[in-house]
């Protein structure tokens, strides 16, 4: 059978990895797919650089629409990124009857509903394994491997750049800016690295996982998003002393008690003994808890050229195998049949329940601790542990660290406002969420 023909839009970090791996492992992939898979056309703004990568193995064009217009092309891979031209090209490719593979989590988290609907109407597939956790097959796990389960929660380190920054800062004492530049050099960071460090990229991925886990539409605008830019080295150290590591986690949790879904990204204290707390560098890991299977963990490279290419090519193989199948018999894009998605609400952050880590800079005088703990008690917030740093000689202030048991975020915010107003609290209180992930 003639090889399936693929057009590649964008041959940057992931695009070049995809071209190279597909070329290198061509024969093995053909044996798995049942048919050869060839990238026969490549579009990139930088035509010269693209030609250097592909040589004479594919036709290089500057205009991506030449690929979409080519009737010989069966599958279009979008590896340009962003919401702008990428959205237009993906929709045009779908309308031209092409299957689409993309690693673009930003596009799908924001415009997924429109894109999946367009694909269903045209009977084509949109595959996005590379969009979450790079090379880890977490989409496949959520969509197929765990299909028997009611998923309880998903929690993951799903941004390599921020995990790399947190690890390097903790282990080598390097500055934030230095480590960010290195992450950019290594090809982990997004074109706009604020998406990484402010938690937006992780929230795009958590949004996609929430849809797959709970059968809800993709709703990035409902996600609560906090990044790592306000994290202080002191909190990383105190967390260690208390037996925790701080990780930027993307969390999606079913809350049957209130009939909603928590969807949030924020720095999180995780017990140091958990495997996920020991995931370092640009590595990613996702934990999924299902009612039948219990807790599962998926680990691997979440970014970079060939790890991400591995996921892109897995999608190419899937599509090649299913190319001629009746569209009704394909695995649905978001794991649940399109007409079975529910409007279970995504909860506001005030309704979220977590334990907390608090750091208060206080005057070192009598009665300070009791004034703080009485506010917590009056707010029905139970204390799990307290740590008070000895003040240095001649210093009249100190840090008090409090770990609480689980409480509702709204109650904690009200208590924080009261504590902040105490004259003995000398600086803005640091509050971080804590998860046991058991
Ligand atoms: P790059 O910036 O390295 O590559 C994008 C490529 O697209 C560049 O070569 C760019 O050319 C080209 N391009 C831009 N506009 C057009 C256009 N209109 N037509 C054709 N080509 C165009 O990005 P990445 O490879 O890092 O990322 C690609 C996608 O994969 C993004 O959605 C990203 O979020 C996602 N992703 C990336 C991962 C990674 O580790 N890097 C991991 C997982 C997902 P030029 O450089 O000349 O602008
Ligand atoms: N910028 C992303 C990261 C790339 O650092 O994880 C992978 O999606």
């Amino acid at each position: 059978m003639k090889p399936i023909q693929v057009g590649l839009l964008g041959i940057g970090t992931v695009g070049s990895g995809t071209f190279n791996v597909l070329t290198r492992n061509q024969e093995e992939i053909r044996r798995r797919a049942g048919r050869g898979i060839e990238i026969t056309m490549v579009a990139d703004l930088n035509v010269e650089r693209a030609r250097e990568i592909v040589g004479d193995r594919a036709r290089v064009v500057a205009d991506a629409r030449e690929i979409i217009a080519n009737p010989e092309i069966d599958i279009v891979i979008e590896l340009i990124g962003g919401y702008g031209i990428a959205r237009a090209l993906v929709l045009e490719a779908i309308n031209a009857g092409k299957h689409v593979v993309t690693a673009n989590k930003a596009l799908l988290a924001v415009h997924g509903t429109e894109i999946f609907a367009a694909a269903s109407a045209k009977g084509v597939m949109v595959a996005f394994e590379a969009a979450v956790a790079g090379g880890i097959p977490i989409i496949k796990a959520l969509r197929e491997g765990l299909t028997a389960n009611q998923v309880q929660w998903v929690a993951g380190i799903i941004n390599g750049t921020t995990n790399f920054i947190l690890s390097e800062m903790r282990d080598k004492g390097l500055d934030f800016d230095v480590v960010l530049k290195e992450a950019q050099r290594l090809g982990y960071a997004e074109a706009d690295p604020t998406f990484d460090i402010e938690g937006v990229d992780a929230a795009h991925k958590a949004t996609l996982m929430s849809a797959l886990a709970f059968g809800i539409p993709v709703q990035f605008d409902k996600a609560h998003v906090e990044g790592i830019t306000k994290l202080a080295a002191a909190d990383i150290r105190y967390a260690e002393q208390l037996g925790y590591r701080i990780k930027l986690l993307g969390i999606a949790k079913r809350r049957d008690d209130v009939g909603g879904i928590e969807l949030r990204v924020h720095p999180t204290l995780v017990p140091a003994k958990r495997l996920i707390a020991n995931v370092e560098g640009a590595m990613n890991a996702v934990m999924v808890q299902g009612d039948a299977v219990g807790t599962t963990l998926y680990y691997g490279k979440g970014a970079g050229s060939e790890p991400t290419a591995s996921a892109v090519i897995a999608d190419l193989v899937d599509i090649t195998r299913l190319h001629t199948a009746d569209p009704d018999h394909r695995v649905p894009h978001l794991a649940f049949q399109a007409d079975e998605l529910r409007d279970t609400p995504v909860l506001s952050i005030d309704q979220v329940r977590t334990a907390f880590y608090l750091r208060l800079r206080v005057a070192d005088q009598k009665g300070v601790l009791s004034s703080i703990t009485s506010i917590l008690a009056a707010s029905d917030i139970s204390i799990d542990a307290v740590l008070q740093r000895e003040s240095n000689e001649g210093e009249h202030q100190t840090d008090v660290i409090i770990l609480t048991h689980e409480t509702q975020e709204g109650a904690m915010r009200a208590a924080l406002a009261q504590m902040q107003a105490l004259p003995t609290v000398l600086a803005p209180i640091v509050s971080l969420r804590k998860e046991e992930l058991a």
Side-chain angles (χ1 to χ4, degrees):
M1 201 188 306
K2 182 171 153 252
I4 202 149
Q5 297 208 22
V6 181
L8 171 60
L9 317 185
I11 188 158
T13 304
V14 183
S16 58
T18 300
F19 192 87
N20 292 335
V21 174
L22 195 56
T23 307
R24 189 170 75 229
N25 297 343
Q26 200 174 36
E27 178 54 12
E28 195 108 347
I29 290 166
R30 183 197 60 75
R31 287 170 58 212
R32 290 193 168 117
R35 188 173 171 188
I37 301 175
E38 282 178 7
I39 295 179
T40 53
M41 281 185 87
V42 172
D44 200 283
L45 298 181
N46 192 332
V47 172
E48 255 173 53
R49 192 190 54 204
R51 284 212 177 100
E52 273 168 33
I53 298 166
V54 307
D56 57 7
R57 287 167 295 176
R59 187 153 77 85
V60 175
V61 294
D63 181 2
R65 291 190 166 94
E66 267 194 58
I67 293 185
I68 293 169
N70 184 342
E72 297 292 311
I73 298 289
D74 304 295
I75 307 173
V76 166
I77 312 177
E78 182 278 307
L79 293 174
I80 293 172
Y83 317 103
I85 186 70
R87 172 175 165 270
L89 293 173
V90 163
L91 287 170
E92 285 171 35
I94 290 169
N95 284 328
K98 318 282 187 204
H99 303 291
V100 172
V101 175
T102 180
N104 193 336
K105 54 269 164 157
L107 176 67
L108 294 181
V110 176
H111 298 291
T113 301
E114 177 191 22
I115 288 169
F116 294 129
S120 297
K122 270 285 179 182
V124 296
M125 291 172 268
V126 173
F128 53 100
E129 184 62 70
V132 181
I136 305 174
I138 187 64
I139 304 290
K140 193 104 176 155
L142 282 169
R143 198 162 48 186
E144 295 168 51
L146 299 174
T147 201
N149 288 265
Q150 272 195 35
V151 175
Q152 314 290 356
W153 52 261
V154 180
I157 295 171
I158 45 180
N159 183 268
T161 302
T162 44
N163 204 49
F164 180 73
I165 292 173
L166 290 176
S167 304
E168 295 284 289
M169 283 174 73
R170 200 193 65 233
D171 292 348
K172 301 187 182 157
L174 294 172
D175 285 339
F176 184 93
D177 293 339
V178 174
V179 190
L180 173 59
K181 283 210 177 75
E182 180 64 359
Q184 286 175 295
R185 192 187 67 75
L186 292 167
Y188 304 147
E190 294 303 302
D192 177 357
T194 50
F195 269 29
D196 294 297
I197 60 182
E198 296 297 358
V200 177
D201 176 72
H204 288 146
K205 296 166 181 166
T207 298
L208 290 171
M209 292 199 294
S210 71
L212 290 156
F214 305 120
I216 58 172
V218 283
Q219 301 165 77
F220 170 69
D221 56 335
K222 305 269 172 59
H224 175 83
V225 189
E226 287 173 37
I228 62 165
T229 48
K230 296 195 187 84
L231 205 56
D235 296 308
I236 298 176
R237 279 199 309 274
Y238 284 132
E240 293 267 343
Q241 284 174 30
L242 290 158
Y244 291 86
R245 292 259 165 94
I246 299 180
K247 295 290 181 189
L248 185 73
L249 291 190
I251 298 172
K253 191 183 273 185
R254 172 194 294 272
R255 283 279 303 281
D256 289 339
D257 57 330
V258 286
I261 306 288
E262 295 183 2
L263 176 55
R264 49 194 166 94
V265 170
H266 48 72
T268 313
L269 273 78
V270 181
K273 63 185 178 202
R274 297 264 176 274
L275 285 174
I276 198 166
N278 295 284
V279 170
E280 303 289 19
M283 301 306 277
N284 280 198
V286 182
M287 294 176 79
V288 183
Q289 182 162 293
D291 66 336
V293 73
T295 307
T296 58
L297 174 70
Y298 310 83
Y299 169 82
K301 287 190 177 150
S305 183
E306 292 206 355
T308 312
S310 164
V312 170
I313 295 168
D315 281 343
L316 289 178
V317 171
D318 260 3
I319 292 178
T320 302
R321 286 174 179 149
L322 293 168
H323 184 49
T324 51
D326 175 350
D328 286 342
H329 295 152
R330 292 178 188 148
V331 183
H333 293 119
L334 290 176
F336 290 72
Q337 299 296 333
D339 58 358
E340 289 289 345
L341 298 188
R342 300 265 157 89
D343 57 2
T344 316
V346 174
L347 300 173
S348 79
I349 189 67
D350 274 354
Q351 293 170 283
V352 161
R353 287 188 69 82
T354 59
F356 279 87
Y357 159 101
L358 307 177
R359 173 165 61 88
L360 300 95
R361 188 78 182 150
V362 296
D364 194 4
Q365 63 190 53
K366 269 191 284 186
V368 170
L369 198 53
S370 73
S371 58
I372 294 165
T373 53
S374 44
I375 291 174
L376 290 171
S379 311
D380 208 17
I381 298 169
S382 156
I383 294 174
D384 181 27
V386 178
L387 175 78
Q388 180 170 349
R389 186 179 68 78
E390 250 178 65
S391 41
N392 297 324
E393 186 126 353
E395 199 186 23
H396 301 293
Q397 39 183 263
T398 190
D399 284 335
V400 171
I401 315 298
I402 298 175
L403 298 184
T404 75
H405 289 293
E406 194 179 281
T407 185
Q408 187 143 328
E409 176 111 5
M412 178 52 85
R413 289 207 184 186
L416 281 171
Q418 288 180 55
M419 291 188 283
Q420 194 66 72
L422 292 171
T424 46
V425 173
L426 306 175
I429 302 171
V430 174
S431 70
L432 296 168
R433 300 172 191 87
K434 179 169 91 67
E435 294 280 352
E436 289 303 314
L437 301 180

